[in-house]
Amino acid sequence: MSDLPQESLLSHLIELRNRLVKTLAVFAIAFCIAIYFSEHLYEILTQPLMKFLPGGLISTGITSPFVVLMKIAALVAFVVTLPHTLFQIWAFIAPGLYAHEKKLLLPFIVSATILFLVGMCFAYFFVFGMVFKFIASILPPNMRWTPDSGTYFEFILNMFFMFGLTFEVPVAVVLMAKIGVVKIKQLKEARPYIIVGSFVIAAIVTPPDVASQLMLAIPLWLLFEAGVLAAQILVKPKSN
């Protein structure tokens, strides 16, 4: 009988290893494919800036061109394989869950993935243009604006991450209400603090122009409201 817990732990570790191997294998395949198209992907990711910087980016480091292309390939591989990665996480966790918990987890993973990708698209198609337009508009006449490619891609990766997380707010709100961490009444009462906090966060993580800050603060607030509305619909109050 004493060997059963050890056997159970060993089987879980083997299962975890197999899931990790599958995840890394799929990521590696996507990474290799992305490397092949890395130059084209570079053009796509720099397109929002090229409207205001026709001269192109510079690269000051000896290995910077290689590092930048590797980062681009890794980003694309991560995004493309995200559904598979989350599926592997779900498949590992699901056997230990009750039926009602499985019903909650799968929609959570799907919605979290979709919203994260929507947040990245929002940053690429709307936010980047506003940021670069603002920077180009404040340049003195005798100043040349020649961003480094490494700095540029570090900036857009941070923005992708921030806006991806921002669009996860409705999922987080519904999940907290569903598992009972907060009540819907408490969420409504926290609305003034959420509004102020949205603008504070936007002022910290975005460039110092009003348009960029509004494009993060307002969606953050509206997504919170969407989460509260969804929680009212999806979360049934517990009867005493």
Side-chain angles (χ1 to χ4, degrees), residues 109-137:
I109 290 176
V110 173
S111 58
T113 303
I114 293 174
L115 286 174
F116 191 88
L117 297 178
V118 170
M120 291 180 63
C121 291
F122 181 78
Y124 178 84
F125 289 105
F126 297 101
V127 178
F128 290 167
M130 297 291 295
V131 172
F132 301 143
K133 182 179 180 180
F134 166 75
I135 296 174
S137 67

Side-chain angles (χ1 to χ4, degrees), residues 4 9 11 18 60 89 98 151 153 156 206 221-222 228 239:
L4 290 178
L9 176 60
S11 64
N18 293 338
T60 57
I89 295 174
Y98 294 106
T151 304
F153 280 99
I156 66 169
T206 60
W221 168 42
L222 294 179
V228 174
S239 56

Side-chain angles (χ1 to χ4, degrees), residues 149-225:
S149 58
T151 304
Y152 172 76
F153 280 99
E154 182 180 348
F155 170 79
I156 66 169
L157 287 176
N158 289 337
M159 294 294 282
F160 278 146
F161 181 72
M162 288 304 305
F163 277 88
L165 286 182
T166 296
F167 275 71
E168 298 293 332
V169 169
V171 177
V173 170
V174 172
L175 183 63
M176 289 190 297
K178 190 75 174 178
I179 63 179
V181 174
V182 293
K183 297 180 179 179
I184 296 176
K185 181 181 179 181
Q186 293 174 320
L187 292 171
K188 293 180 178 180
E189 292 173 350
R191 182 177 287 116
Y193 304 100
I194 296 298
I195 295 174
V196 174
S198 299
F199 282 90
V200 172
I201 293 173
I204 294 173
V205 303
T206 60
D209 65 291
V210 177
S212 300
Q213 294 173 5
L214 290 177
M215 292 188 75
L216 179 61
I218 293 177
L220 185 56
W221 168 42
L222 294 179
L223 288 165
F224 170 78
E225 297 292 347

